[in-house]
Amino acid sequence: MIEVEGVKIDTRHWIGGERVASTRSFPDISPIDERHLGDLDAAGAAEVDQAVTAARAAFPAWAALGPTGRGAILRRVADGIDERREDLARVETRDNGSLLRSHRRGVMPRVAMNFRFFADYAEKLAHPGMEVRGHRERITYDPAGVTAIITPWNAPLMLATWRIGPALAAGNTVVLKPPEWAPLTASLLADIAHEAGLPAGVLNVVQGTGAEAGAPLTRHPGINRLSFTGSVPTAGVIAAAAAPNVVPLSFELGGKSPLLIFADADLDLAVDLAVEQFDNAGQVCLGAFRLLVQEPIAEEFTARVVERARALVQGDPRDERTDVSALISRPHFERVRGFVDRALADGARALLGGGPNTSLNGLYYSPTILADARPGSEILTEEVFGPVLTVQTFADEDEGVRMANETRFGLAATLVTGSAEKAERVSEKLSAGTVWVNCFFVRDLGAPFGGNGKSGIGREGGTYSFDFYCDVKNTVFSPAGWRES
Ligand code: NAD
């Protein structure tokens, strides 16, 4: 047990409704001040096997409860999350360095919604039957079995519950492997789920590194679905590990999304949307880090974004006044620094920032805006995952669209224009799972979410989640062969 921000956290795994210890552990370091928060039990193949076995054992009874029975319990889990919102917010902030004010107002309410929304959705889920040549076709959603969920550190609890919610609502049981850089709220979620009456083995949490705890889970023959959120290189390794068992995969990966600003745009709105990209110190998969601005407004727009970004307050994320916090870890900090250093050496110009924030010790990298990056260079093509924006200009619509689509990713694209016709036209041409027009980050949980290209495989949200977490079954009834009973 450790205490973080006044909240007691069990450092052991949660398997089959019990706390389970390991002989090995891993350290948890806070990005805020690089303080060692404690050591957590580190799973290997044995604990993972124990968790999958527990999930398999719990599956038949959980599936048999049906959407209404499951929904009642999942809504109690949501209530428990609401009751402990402040604890969850404080612990998540301490653990991954993202803003406390965001957790309080946006993230933790969404975490609860991940359970309520999909509990409601499962109860209404139905596919219209069909009559084909006199045969009735009935389409139903059967639970698939055990779902393995592996998540990253940038929004640990939100991203975990965005899968756990629909997977459990669909009637599956779950083994979660939270990120080793920010594992704490997963342990609290296990407590909350238990107190809400979630039966033993329905949700299991195994902690540890990707190599030691994640890898055995991905190759385990007892899993029926694998949902992974993380980086492209890890996705490749996981896909290969899961392949022999032919496990269906849902991958939500990285991005290098554009923010396309046309000369007819509402400039205040465009500047707001650009500055919003510094949220979570740029550690956001959806972030629109490539600012593409039409030439006539480029100078004014850029000057205004730089001025606004310069005024952002960087510091401790527990302070409500802070806008930009620290990067997650020392290796990640060095990675971000390397990207910017190489870009500057390659001819890019820093309009703002361009290095660590030397007034703050630790993992604080200054909000950075780069111009004149060499076309095709890595700063324009690779995911930096830090507070780093690039600015490029385009002459006309065709060039803007071409530059926006010049990426191997395709998670999101945002465009800002005052013309409804242009918005229709350009949005159709953009290659991305989500296109935002004059807005950013808003989305209903019923809508599909996922990426094109290297940004992922599949879509989740609403029916799309149930298509993935269920075995969708078609039963064809013949009009012939009935006996009077
Ligand atoms: P990562 O790929 O390094 O790790 C993600 C998770 O995978 C962690 O839990 C890690 O322990 C685990 N893992 C690592 N190696 C593994 C292996 N061999 N087998 C099984 N599991 C393994 O990613 P990260 O650095 O934690 O997160 C940042 C990345 O996540 C970025 O690329 C970001 O864009 C992406 N991301 C995507 C979305 C989305 O919805 N598309 C959301 C958030 C983050």
Side-chain angles (χ1 to χ4, degrees), residues 222-279:
I223 62 169
N224 302 92
R225 292 290 186 275
L226 201 166
S227 173
F228 168 71
T229 310
S231 65
V232 176
T234 306
V237 174
I238 288 179
N245 295 317
V246 200
V247 175
L249 304 167
S250 174
F251 279 177
E252 292 194 6
L253 311 177
K256 190 72 179 176
S257 299
L259 176 56
L260 194 56
I261 300 140
F262 286 95
D264 60 8
D266 173 337
L267 217 54
D268 292 338
L269 173 66
V271 171
D272 282 349
L273 294 177
V275 175
E276 205 179 323
Q277 307 310 319
F278 289 109
D279 187 41

Side-chain angles (χ1 to χ4, degrees), residues 4-5 7 80-93 100-101 103-105 108-109 185 188 192 318 320:
V4 173
E5 300 292 306
V7 181
I81 290 165
D82 283 340
E83 279 160 29
R84 296 203 65 189
R85 181 183 298 174
E86 182 64 14
D87 285 354
L88 291 166
R90 298 189 79 85
V91 170
E92 193 85 298
T93 291
L100 182 58
R101 69 172 192 224
H103 287 141
R104 281 181 172 149
R105 287 171 214 149
M108 294 310 162
T185 47
L188 292 178
I192 291 168
R318 293 168 294 185
E320 284 263 340

Side-chain angles (χ1 to χ4, degrees), residues 9-163:
I9 299 163
D10 202 308
T11 52
R12 296 168 294 175
H13 315 290
W14 177 250
I15 300 175
E18 287 175 5
R19 289 290 172 181
V20 172
S22 291
T23 50
R24 288 164 309 120
S25 63
F26 66 100
D28 187 24
I29 310 287
S30 172
I32 298 176
D33 47 11
E34 295 183 87
R35 217 184 85 190
H36 177 220
L37 299 177
D39 290 328
L40 280 85
D41 289 73
E47 294 89 337
V48 167
D49 185 56
Q50 203 182 336
V52 174
T53 303
R56 293 217 74 79
F59 173 66
W62 181 245
L65 264 186
T68 307
R70 293 192 294 266
I73 298 172
L74 296 178
R75 285 184 199 93
R76 286 206 298 274
V77 175
D79 293 344
I81 290 165
D82 283 340
E83 279 160 29
R84 296 203 65 189
R85 181 183 298 174
E86 182 64 14
D87 285 354
L88 291 166
R90 298 189 79 85
V91 170
E92 193 85 298
T93 291
R94 194 46 162 130
D95 208 12
N96 90 334
S98 44
L99 300 184
L100 182 58
R101 69 172 192 224
S102 307
H103 287 141
R104 281 181 172 149
R105 287 171 214 149
V107 179
M108 294 310 162
R110 159 74 191 272
V111 165
M113 193 161 54
N114 284 335
F115 285 93
R116 276 196 198 100
F117 179 90
F118 288 104
D120 292 349
Y121 210 100
E123 287 186 45
K124 290 182 294 206
L125 191 64
H127 195 287
M130 288 188 276
E131 285 287 332
V132 179
R133 291 189 297 279
H135 292 63
R136 179 167 69 89
E137 306 208 14
R138 185 194 65 191
I139 293 146
T140 49
Y141 289 77
D142 295 343
V146 175
T147 301
I149 298 175
I150 299 180
T151 47
W153 44 261
N154 62 325
L157 193 59
M158 202 287 285
L159 292 169
T161 53
W162 153 238
R163 279 75 196 205

